[in-house]
Amino acid sequence: MTTTDINQTVEMAVATIRQHTSYQPTVGLVLGSGLSELANSIQEPDIIAYDQIPGWPQSTVVGHSGRLVIGQMEGKTVLVQQGRAHYYEGYGMEQITLPVRVMRALGIQTLIVTNAAGGINPNFSPGDLMLIADHINFLGLAGLNPLRGPNDESVGPRFPDMIGTYTLPLRQLAHQVAAANNFSLQEGTYAYVAGPSFETPAELRFLRTVGADAVGMSTVPTVVVARHAGMKILGISSITNMAVPDPKPGTVLDHEEVLETGKQIIPRLTVLLKGILQQL
Ligand code: HPA
């Protein structure tokens, strides 16, 4: 896709969304694996199925619904992306980052992105929430960066600075909200891998050695595009399983476990997101 193709697709998607809603969202919220239920907290929603929006990538993964839910949450107008498409589903980087380009074109300046991730840090447990403080973009480092190709200077610079990508005041606010509700949040580095196969023991030892605290198959391309466009970003991983080289004998990691733990985390994540939105 050329920059012109991308811009045209974004414009068409924006036009379609504007036909379906008169809300002017200021916050974008991406809900990852097993976390779709969170969108039930949106009041008076306008709902748009992904297949009604030209160019929008459909998610083929169990646990990901395919709808935009736009409405009010804690006094803020929020656009919720209920389910996302991943690189491993066969989409290109341009396609999986279309939603965030559309959010920006709609005027959204704050992005809250959630995902399910495997916990690498031995101090983590399944059920923990981890604020993303930094990431390792394995696909990007290897050349699969969504900003590859001509740069649109009207959006952002050719060489965006990635230091401070995960907005510190938003992380501080998240910690305050958690503390006020008697729980705490982990914080760490998220390693982005392509999937869909989970990691081998050798890969997990490698990820731990290079400083990753959690590993997952999403989020980072979206964050890179959002950062390029100057958006404020909060990333939250729900640690659905431990991704360790020496699991308890008999444990088998599968997508069911990811979804099941994701479900158990929803009440706490809902409290966290509502508290953050209230104070934004
Ligand atoms: N590895 C990669 N992605 C994941 C995992 C994992 O263990 N759990 C949830 N998403």
Side-chain angles (χ1 to χ4, degrees), residues 33 116-119 190-191 193 197-199 204 215-217 238 240-243 253 258:
S33 289
Y190 174 92
V193 297
S197 46
F198 288 117
E199 299 69 38
L204 292 171
V215 56
M217 307 172 190
S238 65
T240 52
N241 57 280
M242 287 310 283
L253 174 56
V258 170

Side-chain angles (χ1 to χ4, degrees), residues 30-91:
V30 183
L31 297 180
S33 289
L35 305 173
S36 280
E37 233 182 75
L38 269 164
N40 298 343
S41 307
I42 298 286
Q43 280 148 18
E44 300 185 33
D46 289 331
I47 295 173
I48 314 170
Y50 290 170
D51 61 11
Q52 292 181 275
I53 312 172
W56 199 279
Q58 310 285 313
S59 177
T60 60
V61 187
V62 177
H64 282 258
S65 332
R67 322 186 302 173
L68 285 184
V69 182
I70 308 167
Q72 299 289 124
M73 197 167 170
E74 301 300 316
K76 301 290 179 317
T77 309
V78 183
L79 176 144
V80 182
Q81 189 188 325
Q82 205 181 27
R84 63 153 73 83
H86 306 78
Y87 184 72
Y88 63 74
E89 293 174 74
Y91 294 109

Side-chain angles (χ1 to χ4, degrees), residues 12-267:
M12 284 192 304
V14 166
T16 306
I17 292 167
R18 291 218 202 274
Q19 275 163 18
H20 283 82
T21 187
S22 53
Y23 282 121
Q24 302 273 0
T26 57
V27 180
L29 173 59
V30 183
L31 297 180
S33 289
L35 305 173
S36 280
E37 233 182 75
L38 269 164
N40 298 343
S41 307
I42 298 286
Q43 280 148 18
E44 300 185 33
D46 289 331
I47 295 173
I48 314 170
Y50 290 170
D51 61 11
Q52 292 181 275
I53 312 172
W56 199 279
Q58 310 285 313
S59 177
T60 60
V61 187
V62 177
H64 282 258
S65 332
R67 322 186 302 173
L68 285 184
V69 182
I70 308 167
Q72 299 289 124
M73 197 167 170
E74 301 300 316
K76 301 290 179 317
T77 309
V78 183
L79 176 144
V80 182
Q81 189 188 325
Q82 205 181 27
R84 63 153 73 83
H86 306 78
Y87 184 72
Y88 63 74
E89 293 174 74
Y91 294 109
M93 285 288 155
E94 293 92 351
Q95 288 169 297
I96 60 178
T97 55
L98 183 86
V100 67
R101 293 182 200 276
V102 170
M103 286 184 199
R104 176 197 159 268
L106 285 167
I108 290 172
Q109 286 180 353
T110 303
L111 175 73
I112 304 177
V113 54
T114 67
N115 59 44
I120 291 177
N121 185 322
N123 299 324
F124 291 2
S125 310
D128 281 354
L129 289 171
M130 182 193 89
L131 296 181
I132 305 178
D134 200 350
H135 71 227
I136 303 175
N137 184 1
F138 279 105
L139 280 73
L141 291 172
L144 278 172
N145 191 301
L147 303 177
R148 179 174 176 269
N151 183 54
D152 186 345
E153 290 288 327
S154 71
V155 177
R158 170 77 289 185
F159 301 106
D161 183 1
M162 295 301 289
I163 295 172
T165 294
Y166 295 92
T167 311
L168 189 57
L170 290 180
R171 274 150 54 198
Q172 288 167 335
L173 174 58
H175 282 300
Q176 279 164 21
V177 171
N181 289 282
N182 302 313
F183 60 90
S184 62
L185 302 171
Q186 307 282 10
E187 193 161 317
T189 297
Y190 174 92
Y192 171 51
V193 297
S197 46
F198 288 117
E199 299 69 38
T200 65
E203 287 163 349
L204 292 171
R205 281 192 294 271
F206 166 74
L207 290 173
R208 196 191 282 186
T209 305
V210 297
D213 296 294
V215 56
M217 307 172 190
S218 69
T219 302
V220 166
T222 299
V223 164
V224 169
V225 170
R227 172 65 172 177
H228 178 242
M231 292 166 83
K232 290 189 200 134
I233 300 164
L234 181 68
I236 308 171
S237 291
S238 65
I239 304 298
T240 52
N241 57 280
M242 287 310 283
V244 289
D246 44 6
K248 281 194 208 106
T251 32
V252 180
L253 174 56
D254 60 19
H255 188 57
E256 286 303 307
E257 178 183 348
V258 170
L259 293 183
E260 190 47 48
T261 315
K263 239 188 233 164
Q264 289 165 17
I265 296 175
I266 284 178

